[in-house]
Amino acid sequence: MADREALPEFHGVCRAPFGWIAVAVKDEAVREIRILEQAPERTGNPEPLAETVCRALQDWFDGGDWPQKIPVKPAGTAYQKKVWQALLQIPPGETLTYGELARQLDTAPRAIGGACRRNPVPLLIPCHRVVAANGDGGFAGHTAGHWMDIKRWLLSHE
């Protein structure tokens, strides 16, 4: 996400309705997606998978189907990966509250929020589909401003 240190390499860059998306791949899987407000420069060699991700996201932004079957392999703890795997099971257009997902995984809502905040592959691992019991919750560690506008756009688009 935009608040983390710079990616060593962006292998694909594409425009989104809410900014720009930079894609990093390694070993035939997406490792990280950054949502940025300004156009970044591609810093790595173009990779076919990154280009596929950009085309799939552009198609989805234009009203096509949700991108599926794109291999993702984010770095994280075993717990984070368990939560991220559960996020992949939430269908487009549906949401779960932090509490509902916590009950499914026998954990705490705050821990779910922490794993969502650390999701290095937003959009493809749809953390935006997790909401608070009484509102939108957060997105990328933010509860107001541009990031929440992005979350609301994503939920509305689905």
Side-chain angles (χ1 to χ4, degrees), residues 10-89:
F10 292 140
H11 301 104
V13 173
C14 50
R15 187 81 168 107
F18 41 79
W20 293 86
I21 297 171
V23 181
V25 300
K26 183 178 178 184
D27 300 329
E28 299 301 317
V30 177
R31 296 301 179 110
E32 190 164 352
I33 287 181
R34 293 275 180 104
I35 300 171
L36 305 165
E37 291 186 50
Q38 298 179 349
E41 290 187 33
R42 184 185 342 244
T43 55
N45 292 327
E47 292 281 342
L49 178 58
E51 298 300 322
T52 296
V53 169
C54 284
R55 281 191 307 275
L57 287 172
Q58 286 294 170
D59 182 60
W60 180 66
F61 295 145
D62 291 339
D65 291 333
W66 175 258
Q68 295 184 21
K69 299 184 181 175
I70 294 174
V72 295
K73 192 172 183 185
T77 67
Y79 176 79
Q80 289 167 343
K81 290 177 181 180
K82 177 181 171 181
V83 172
W84 299 336
Q85 198 60 31
L87 296 177
L88 291 169
Q89 306 311 309

Side-chain angles (χ1 to χ4, degrees), residues 130-146:
V130 182
V131 298
N134 60 353
D136 293 327
F139 187 61
H142 301 272
T143 57
H146 178 68

